[in-house]
Amino acid sequence: MKWRLYLPMQILAIGAHPDDIELQCAGTLAMYVKQGHQVFMAVVTNGNMGNYDVAPEELARIREAEFNQSCTVLGATPIWMNYPDELLENTVQNRLVFVDMLRSINPDLVITHGANDYHPDHRYTHQLVWDALPLAGIANIKTKHPATNRQVTLYMMDNLGGIDFHPTEFVDITETLELKKAALSKHASQTRIFHDLLDIDLLDVIETVGKFRGYQAGCKYAEGFTKVEAWYRGLSKRLLPESDQESRFNYKTEG
């Protein structure tokens, strides 16, 4: 039996709204943090249109503060892009903003929404990320930060409620489910409005979907992902975190 050290990675999760990342992949991000990787969470829009009883400018401030608190719970670094809620567009100008954001992190792996998610901000976020990734490595496209120095692997996270999403890989989040719930709980303005308007408990949603994905994955709770397959972005090893005792310390046995 021999030991192999995994070097720390730069992990970037990109969500359209301030609570999207917590809903869909916070358990996995918490696993990455536990294993010594550096995690960044980028929120594209400021969520300023989400509540009927709070003015947009004030709501944007509230949701940014909640997002920062959530990142603290998970041990992640926040990135607040501050686009207006509900109005995101896939333009060349916005694509270049995404290019520069990606370059500022130089990530090994990016997680974002799927192309068929229910909300246009989710779908445009997916498209902007997907279109920006190849440009981020082209040195002659100039932004504030230098070009990335690696081919970046892209994963799509689950759709809300697991609807019309078919994972190809799973992460066992049994040991980080409570951290995921604690992080989502920081988004009090959003959990309240879902309860008031739709009678939906978002904490119950993540536990229910987590348990369902766990049945599929063969564990108690899981999150599901699909790797975006593309030229020169294949993998010869797994980049999503594993839940065994050894991987918590960035080691894996081979024998």
Side-chain angles (χ1 to χ4, degrees):
M1 182 180 294
K2 59 183 178 179
W3 295 88
R4 178 153 57 97
L5 175 64
Y6 280 105
L7 297 176
M9 294 188 296
Q10 303 275 92
I11 308 299
L12 173 60
I14 305 172
H17 304 113
D19 59 335
D20 288 334
I21 295 171
E22 289 83 350
L23 282 162
Q24 311 298 22
C25 68
T28 296
L29 299 183
M31 291 289 293
Y32 275 125
V33 172
K34 283 177 173 288
Q35 294 175 9
H37 303 292
Q38 190 166 9
V39 171
F40 300 83
M41 293 167 58
V43 166
V44 179
T45 76
N46 57 23
N48 64 338
M49 296 296 177
N51 293 37
Y52 67 91
D53 55 353
V54 181
E57 185 175 342
E58 175 62 17
L59 184 57
R61 288 194 293 267
I62 291 170
R63 301 212 64 187
E64 182 179 9
E66 291 173 343
F67 170 61
N68 288 333
Q69 292 166 14
S70 173
C71 287
T72 299
V73 169
L74 294 171
T77 300
I79 300 170
W80 187 251
M81 299 184 74
N82 204 31
Y83 281 91
D85 189 16
E86 310 295 328
L87 301 175
L88 188 64
E89 294 180 292
N90 183 13
T91 65
V92 172
Q93 181 180 359
N94 289 346
R95 192 182 310 164
L96 291 174
V97 173
F98 274 67
V99 166
D100 195 58
M101 186 272 289
L102 289 163
R103 289 175 168 182
S104 72
I105 305 303
N106 193 25
D108 294 272
L109 182 144
V110 172
I111 300 171
T112 195
H113 298 282
N116 69 334
D117 210 341
Y118 82 103
H119 197 290
D121 286 346
H122 295 194
R123 297 193 299 272
Y124 282 128
T125 294
H126 167 86
Q127 197 63 53
L128 283 162
V129 172
W130 182 223
D131 291 350
L133 273 174
L135 303 186
I138 299 175
N140 283 331
I141 294 178
K142 304 297 184 182
T143 65
K144 293 179 182 178
H145 294 90
T148 56
N149 62 4
R150 66 192 82 190
Q151 295 290 337
V152 180
T153 301
L154 177 62
Y155 273 93
M156 295 183 292
M157 59 190 178
D158 215 336
N159 291 345
L160 188 61
I163 296 170
D164 198 22
F165 188 83
H166 307 286
T168 55
E169 293 187 52
F170 295 92
V171 175
D172 183 346
I173 63 161
T174 305
E175 66 182 271
T176 57
L177 178 69
E178 293 306 316
L179 263 178
K180 175 174 179 165
K181 291 166 72 174
L184 181 61
S185 294
K186 296 300 180 182
H187 292 277
S189 64
Q190 185 74 339
T191 56
R192 175 184 67 82
I193 210 71
F194 264 76
H195 182 271
D196 290 353
L197 293 180
L198 301 173
D199 196 25
I200 290 175
D201 181 351
L202 289 179
L203 294 174
D204 181 67
V205 168
I206 61 175
E207 183 155 356
T208 300
V209 174
K211 193 169 186 178
F212 169 66
R213 294 304 187 198
Y215 282 130
Q216 293 179 296
C219 59
K220 190 170 183 180
Y221 294 99
E223 290 172 341
F225 300 89
T226 299
K227 179 181 173 294
V228 175
E229 301 297 339
W231 167 251
Y232 215 68
R233 285 177 171 80
L235 291 177
S236 60
K237 63 180 181 181
R238 178 179 167 96
L239 293 184
L240 292 175
E242 297 172 334
S243 62
D244 60 273
Q245 182 70 25
E246 292 159 345
S247 70
R248 296 184 194 182
F249 300 98
N250 298 330
Y251 287 91
K252 184 179 178 182
T253 59
E254 297 177 329

